[in-house]
Amino acid sequence: MRNFALISFLLLTLSVGAQPDRRTAPTDTTGTPAARVFAFSDMADLVAANHPLVRLANSLPDAARQEVLQARGFFDPKLTSGYDLKQFGDASKASSLYYNKWANELKVPVWLGGADLKMTYDRFTGAKVNPESQTPETGLLGVGVSVPIGQGLLIDSRRATVRQAQLLPSLANAERVKQINKVWLSAAKDYWNWYLTHRQVNLLSEGFQLADTRFQAVKQRVALGDAAAIDSVEAHITAQDRQVQLEQAIVALQNARQIVSTYLWNELGQPVELPARAVPQLALEGLVDESLYLQLSQRAAENHPELLSLDLKIRQQVIEEQFRRAMLQPQLSVSGQLLSQASMPTQEARQQYGFGWNNYKVGVDFSLPLFLRKERGKLKQVQIKTQQLRFDRTQTNRDVLNGVSVAYNDIRALDRQLIVQDAAVQNQQRLLRAEQQKFELGESSLFLVNTRETKLIDMRIKLEELRSKYQKAVAELYYAAGSRQGTEGD
């Protein structure tokens, strides 16, 4: 419902158009341009719900689950059937039927022990059929099992593949979080860049209005002979300079708004433009303290997507190493099958040809490469890769924790800079008021007033830059911890 309300807000205000003209912008009852705050949390919700890259990332776990389903296919029961018939010569003679072969098998793989359960029905008749394969006219039924005794008893390729595939959804989820965090960080930086350009336009517009008003007043004083003509030139130059800065800031604001719009999509996957009357929220300070830093550090050590991804890859390699160790064992498998005629009308026939220990088929298969060079080489290769992943995990863990610490240090430094800059702005305001009072008493010049005022505007813009940097640094801190702002309790 919240996403629907946000999108409705965007769609309802699309008709306002692009950047409104300052002289014709719609106004409320106070005479100020009508505006609605588009909060950062609102943007984050829309990005998380509808951004194409986020939707793409959200599809990764489902794709991984399909790979698990494919891997489990190794244990699907399999039914096979083959039929061959050869007739050659006079059809009225029995010898013309060379062979009539019909072989059927149902094989059911079993997880425990790597065994295969088998049910067969064979019917091999004809003059040219190999005697050892020949069956009664009614066919031959068989029920049996094949069990590996050496290689493949504890783990084989099928079970190794399934166990590795079962880790893929968690691996894909870590990648999903990583990609979403990346999009979120980019959106956060662009949002607070929009905030900065918005504040710059407001401050420069205020400065231009002051300079233009002062210029008009000086012109009147010059016309009355109360001021030198050169004072109007100086006042005009100041107004023109601030107008140029304002126009540049307006272009930067328009570009910043356009960039923010690239993150806005509706539930149908259609792009949504940022309304012209939408304004960013005020930048907040003091968002991060030491307790939050410690919490994020702990979360990074336990749940950072990069570390989770490496942990899962190591677990996959451990499974692969277990399988490769099993490949060093000799291949020894035992199979057995109880046989019975397919149709036995009499009790005597059922006793003689029915399933029992008198009618059976057994087999033993054994093989062992003498040098095992292929198997030993593959095992060593897997062990080296596992060791490399563990080294990578150790280094990544340190990089992650250092990244969180660096981001926190930046925030602490910006906290101190904000306090100093805010105090400097207040002092500059006092200095400007004093200079204006002196100018009104005739003890100062217009140049000094303009200089003090320009300095104040620059310092206020610098304060807003620090506030924007602070918000970006907070986003960097959460990203370094493998998280997103607003998900602390997840």
Side-chain angles (χ1 to χ4, degrees):
M1 292 298 294
R2 184 180 183 186
N3 290 338
F4 177 77
L6 291 175
I7 294 175
S8 299
F9 157 64
L10 293 175
L11 293 177
L12 287 173
T13 52
L14 282 177
S15 59
V16 178
Q19 174 69 27
D21 185 80
R22 293 184 298 278
R23 295 166 297 177
T24 60
T27 59
D28 57 22
T29 56
T30 64
T32 58
R36 293 186 64 178
V37 175
F38 182 54
F40 173 68
S41 59
D42 296 333
M43 178 177 175
D45 288 342
L46 286 176
V47 170
N50 301 323
H51 195 282
L53 293 181
V54 174
R55 288 184 172 184
L56 175 63
N58 287 331
S59 68
L60 294 177
D62 185 59
R65 285 190 289 270
Q66 304 314 309
E67 292 195 37
V68 177
L69 182 63
Q70 294 179 47
R72 287 175 176 168
F74 286 115
F75 288 89
D76 287 345
K78 185 176 182 180
L79 177 64
T80 59
S81 180
Y83 180 75
D84 288 310
L85 172 68
K86 182 176 181 180
Q87 183 83 34
F88 187 76
D90 189 353
S92 62
K93 297 180 179 179
S95 60
S96 65
L97 178 62
Y98 271 46
Y99 53 79
N100 186 345
K101 300 179 180 179
W102 188 23
N104 303 273
E105 181 184 70
L106 174 63
K107 184 167 68 173
V108 182
V110 179
W111 182 277
L112 185 61
D116 291 325
L117 300 180
K118 297 181 181 180
M119 295 182 62
T120 62
Y121 172 75
D122 298 327
R123 186 173 179 272
F124 294 167
T125 61
K128 303 298 184 180
V129 174
N130 191 331
E132 70 177 16
S133 302
Q134 196 167 23
T135 66
E137 288 293 332
T138 56
L140 195 64
L141 291 171
V143 177
V145 63
S146 175
V147 181
I149 303 299
Q151 184 182 119
L153 178 62
L154 300 178
I155 188 171
D156 56 14
S157 61
R158 299 177 300 184
R159 284 176 284 176
T161 301
V162 172
R163 288 169 60 184
Q164 288 176 326
Q166 288 173 337
L167 299 175
L168 290 178
S170 298
L171 189 62
N173 187 64
E175 183 64 25
R176 178 188 70 87
V177 173
K178 177 182 174 182
Q179 292 188 17
I180 292 177
N181 288 352
K182 186 176 181 180
V183 175
W184 175 84
L185 176 63
S186 177
K189 289 183 175 180
D190 289 332
Y191 180 91
W192 294 113
N193 186 59
W194 172 42
Y195 162 83
L196 175 59
T197 56
H198 174 77
R199 294 297 300 153
Q200 285 176 331
V201 168
N202 288 347
L203 293 173
L204 291 173
S205 178
E206 180 182 339
F208 168 70
Q209 294 296 336
L210 291 173
D212 188 60
T213 300
R214 188 177 296 114
F215 168 61
Q216 299 299 331
V218 171
K219 278 205 312 183
Q220 293 179 359
R221 291 180 62 188
V222 171
L224 295 173
D226 193 29
I230 195 64
D231 288 341
S232 66
V233 175
E234 181 178 345
H236 195 196
I237 291 174
T238 301
Q240 289 174 324
D241 180 59
R242 293 182 184 177
Q243 184 179 11
V244 170
Q245 295 180 25
L246 176 60
E247 294 299 331
Q248 292 175 340
I250 289 175
V251 173
L253 175 59
Q254 291 174 340
N255 292 338
R257 293 171 59 86
Q258 192 65 37
I259 293 174
V260 170
S261 295
T262 61
Y263 296 97
L264 305 181
W265 300 78
N266 62 21
E267 295 177 353
L268 301 178
Q270 299 169 337
V272 177
E273 293 297 326
L274 184 68
R277 61 174 175 165
V279 296
Q281 70 176 60
L282 294 177
L284 302 177
E285 301 173 17
L287 299 177
V288 179
D289 55 15
E290 187 174 0
S291 63
L292 180 58
Y293 161 65
L294 295 176
Q295 178 184 347
L296 290 174
S297 296
Q298 182 178 0
R299 168 178 278 196
E302 296 175 354
N303 297 316
H304 196 282
E306 290 282 1
L307 299 179
L308 291 178
S309 178
L310 288 171
D311 286 339
L312 291 166
K313 289 179 180 179
I314 291 173
R315 290 174 61 184
Q316 285 184 324
Q317 285 299 114
V318 170
I319 295 172
E320 183 69 16
E321 185 176 344
Q322 292 174 351
F323 169 61
R324 292 301 168 183
R325 287 185 182 276
M327 294 293 289
L328 298 177
Q329 301 173 358
Q331 294 181 1
L332 177 62
S333 62
V334 178
S335 61
Q337 193 172 29
L338 300 179
L339 306 175
S340 173
Q341 287 193 30
S343 176
M344 294 168 288
T346 65
Q347 179 67 23
E348 180 181 356
R350 285 194 292 272
Q351 292 178 350
Q352 182 175 0
Y353 299 108
F355 288 116
W357 299 113
N358 294 327
N359 302 312
Y360 61 87
K361 182 170 65 173
V362 297
V364 177
D365 294 320
F366 174 82
S367 67
L368 175 66
L370 295 181
F371 298 111
L372 295 171
R373 285 181 289 196
K374 176 182 176 182
E375 290 75 11
R376 289 188 288 112
K378 187 63 179 179
L379 174 60
K380 190 61 177 179
Q381 188 179 38
V382 171
Q383 290 174 333
I384 292 174
K385 186 173 182 180
T386 303
Q387 188 180 42
Q388 290 173 341
L389 286 173
R390 287 198 171 102
F391 288 150
D392 191 10
R393 206 276 184 197
T394 301
Q395 182 62 44
T396 302
N397 180 71
R398 184 172 184 179
D399 291 341
V400 165
L401 295 180
N402 285 345
V404 174
S405 179
V406 168
Y408 179 62
N409 290 338
D410 289 341
I411 291 175
R412 292 178 60 190
L414 287 169
D415 269 329
R416 294 190 295 268
Q417 293 174 37
L418 281 167
I419 294 173
V420 174
Q421 186 68 20
D422 186 57
V425 168
Q426 295 179 17
N427 290 332
Q428 185 66 23
Q429 287 175 332
R430 296 190 188 99
L431 190 60
L432 175 60
R433 285 194 296 267
E435 199 68 47
Q436 289 173 335
Q437 292 175 356
K438 291 172 62 178
F439 178 74
E440 293 171 357
L441 295 174
E443 297 179 359
S444 182
S445 65
L446 183 62
F447 172 78
L448 289 177
V449 172
N450 286 335
T451 300
R452 303 292 190 198
E453 191 175 76
T454 299
K455 181 65 174 178
L456 176 60
I457 294 173
D458 292 340
M459 293 179 69
R460 293 178 68 185
I461 290 177
K462 178 64 175 179
L463 179 61
E464 298 299 337
E465 289 178 353
L466 290 175
R467 287 171 175 165
S468 176
K469 286 182 179 180
Y470 179 85
Q471 298 294 333
K472 293 178 182 179
V474 172
E476 287 280 3
L477 174 63
Y478 278 90
Y479 179 76
S483 182
R484 300 188 302 279
Q485 195 172 354
T487 60
E488 293 86 346
D490 291 356

